[in-house]
Amino acid sequence: MISRRSLLAAAGLTLLTGCASSTKDPNGPLKFWSSLRGTNTVVDAWNAANPREPVVLETVTSGFAGGNAKLSNAARAGNAPDVVSMADADLPMFALDGVAADLTDLVGAQLRSELGEVAWSGATFGGKVYGVPLDLPPLLMLYREDLLREHGVEVPTTWDEFREAARALKRKDIYLTAFHPNGYNLFAAHVMQAGGRWFGVDGDSWVVNFSDSGSLKAADYWQGLLDEDLLFLAPGSSQEWLAALAEGRVAAHLVSTWGVAALASSVPGGAGKWRIAPVPQWDPARPSIGRDGASLHVITAESVKKDRAMRFIEWMSTSPEAITARLSSGRSSLLPAAPKLWDAAARQFKTTFYGGQDLYGLAAKQYELQHGDWMWGPRMQSTATSIHHGLARIPYGTTIAQALRDAEAETLPDMRSLGLAVRRS
């Protein structure tokens, strides 16, 4: 098992945590930063039931330039919050930098069993637990049922069928789906499903390979669709892409469960026209699913309220009251990492936009198809930026495979500059 000491390497890394923790009031309210939808109603529910352990929420923007940068700066200044929500891809960075506290001894056996092995894999780093999983979101396919029916296109169940459906719709001047040059996390979900693995460990060394068979399988497939002009090429969340969805020029959206509510709020005019299907498979006899954007909560190392913080985040991940409060906002559709909460989530989620379809019944069937052998790198912010720069050059002749190779070439020296032992597999 690779240790935190070996990950930091002999030279060590400069920890970001400041030295002002001792000045914090251990009896004051918990300070909580989150960018997740519906968190305000969750905090309201907690405060109503626990007036002696109040939580103060600050909503932050997601992403590298948003909450991540804000947290790093706050940790340097010694005024980080007690609890932070973050994507699992960001956990290794904050664990290495000493911002996220080691929670291993605070995680009880019941909590560990309620969330499951695959969920904990995204919250564990170097053999230690640094976060508590909130959701485990399988990739799904959201699609315009009316457009596919009008043009006689069946909902694809395999990636071969997906290609044929894309060809059929393109003949009608409709793109089946989009490719997002700024969506490294979505492409990573395709790599996961294809069996690829960008990062691993061997003894005390990191192992990196962005061109393994699974990565190239995914890259070659999506490159083929691009070469045939079968994909709408636009950044995710861009007005260009949202307009194409609203106007029916793009008929499907691949996203994890959290994106189901986000789509409904982004294209409200599509209510009743959209449906949800499992993501296509490479081999239906051996199904697997990738995930995009699993969320967890961490307690910062400088917090002097760790026991209280753990009670709060355990409640958020395992309490029916918490998931009911989150989904009551109508803005969240996350699939809880705790299967016992699925019924409560299903009762709360409004299904009108998707024609009354049971999101949680479908997503629950995909939950077990996710695997826990994916590992994020220690500086995904830098790696993701490299991938995005490469994918942005696709209109000028760069391929997806070349973008991955270039990102790997930049990631290796970046990791070594941190004092980490790293090699290419």
Side-chain angles (χ1 to χ4, degrees):
M1 179 68 68
I2 193 166
S3 66
R4 185 171 184 272
R5 180 177 181 181
S6 59
L7 285 168
L8 291 171
L13 293 179
T14 301
L15 301 185
L16 296 180
T17 305
C19 56
S21 297
S22 61
T23 66
K24 291 192 173 186
D25 179 7
N27 298 312
L30 283 177
K31 188 176 181 182
F32 178 31
W33 288 1
S34 180
S35 63
L36 298 179
R37 294 168 177 261
T39 301
N40 59 320
T41 54
V42 175
V43 171
D44 288 345
W46 169 269
N47 285 337
N50 301 273
R52 294 184 178 182
E53 296 187 352
V55 173
V56 175
L57 171 67
E58 180 175 342
T59 300
V60 297
T61 58
S62 62
F64 301 142
N68 285 2
K70 183 179 176 72
L71 178 58
S72 293
N73 290 335
R76 287 191 179 94
N79 57 8
D82 298 288
V83 179
V84 184
S85 60
M86 67 176 60
D88 59 348
D90 298 326
L91 181 69
M93 174 176 70
F94 289 111
L96 278 173
D97 285 346
V99 176
D102 177 359
L103 306 181
T104 307
D105 293 337
L106 293 176
V107 176
Q110 182 175 347
L111 176 59
R112 188 177 291 276
S113 65
E114 286 186 4
L115 302 185
E117 182 179 348
V118 175
W120 285 110
S121 69
T124 303
F125 184 70
K128 297 182 181 296
V129 176
Y130 287 93
V132 176
L134 177 65
D135 69 339
L136 190 63
L139 198 64
L140 299 170
M141 186 175 76
L142 316 183
Y143 67 97
R144 281 280 299 270
E145 188 272 339
D146 58 327
L147 291 178
L148 269 62
R149 173 168 40 82
E150 177 184 349
H151 297 295
V153 176
E154 297 290 333
V155 178
T157 61
T158 69
W159 289 114
D160 286 340
E161 292 175 358
F162 189 90
R163 182 190 297 108
E164 293 306 313
R167 288 169 174 165
L169 286 175
K170 187 61 192 303
R171 290 194 287 269
K172 306 296 183 179
D173 294 324
I174 299 171
Y175 290 99
L176 176 54
T177 195
F179 186 88
H180 303 310
N182 63 340
Y184 89 94
N185 47 335
L186 177 58
F187 187 74
H190 294 309
V191 172
M192 289 181 210
Q193 186 188 27
R197 194 179 187 203
W198 290 342
F199 296 93
V201 293
D202 181 15
D204 285 346
S205 176
W206 285 87
V207 180
V208 177
N209 190 347
F210 288 15
S211 299
D212 62 7
S213 60
S215 299
L216 292 180
K217 183 176 184 178
D220 291 346
Y221 176 83
W222 289 96
Q223 186 65 49
L225 298 183
L226 285 168
D227 290 345
E228 288 192 50
D229 192 26
L230 299 178
L231 298 174
F232 187 81
L233 185 62
S237 300
S238 66
Q239 289 302 311
E240 178 186 11
W241 172 62
L242 292 174
L245 287 174
E247 295 164 6
R249 292 184 286 120
V250 175
H253 175 36
L254 299 172
V255 71
S256 285
T257 44
W258 57 263
V260 173
L263 178 71
S265 64
S266 297
V267 289
K273 300 176 183 178
W274 287 84
R275 297 292 185 271
I276 310 167
V279 74
Q281 292 291 328
W282 292 107
D283 181 359
R286 293 181 294 178
S288 66
I289 295 291
R291 58 186 175 274
D292 166 20
S295 299
L296 45 81
H297 289 103
V298 304
I299 300 173
T300 60
E302 68 180 80
S303 173
V304 295
K305 313 179 190 74
K306 290 184 175 62
D307 288 335
R308 286 172 51 194
M310 177 56 77
R311 286 195 293 274
F312 173 55
I313 63 179
E314 182 172 349
W315 177 83
M316 284 196 289
S317 289
T318 64
S319 167
E321 291 79 14
I323 191 62
T324 296
R326 186 177 296 278
L327 269 63
S328 70
S329 69
R331 301 177 62 243
S332 177
S333 55
L334 61 77
L335 179 70
K340 74 174 188 177
L341 300 184
W342 295 345
D343 286 344
R347 287 192 298 270
Q348 196 64 39
F349 182 72
K350 297 174 178 62
T351 61
T352 306
F353 188 88
Y354 296 96
Q357 194 172 2
D358 179 10
L359 162 66
Y360 286 93
L362 187 155
K365 294 178 181 177
Q366 310 302 304
Y367 181 91
E368 296 297 335
L369 301 181
Q370 302 178 81
H371 52 80
D373 61 354
W374 179 268
M375 183 177 186
W376 292 108
R379 282 293 184 272
M380 284 310 301
Q381 181 165 329
S382 177
T383 297
T385 299
S386 296
I387 294 174
H388 290 165
H389 285 167
L391 296 179
R393 294 193 291 269
I394 284 177
Y396 309 102
T398 292
T399 64
I400 299 172
Q402 185 61 53
L404 292 180
R405 286 192 290 269
D406 290 346
E408 179 189 280
E410 294 173 1
T411 294
L412 287 167
D414 180 60
M415 292 173 66
R416 291 180 181 124
S417 72
L418 299 172
L420 301 175
V422 59
R423 63 177 176 80
R424 190 184 186 281
S425 66

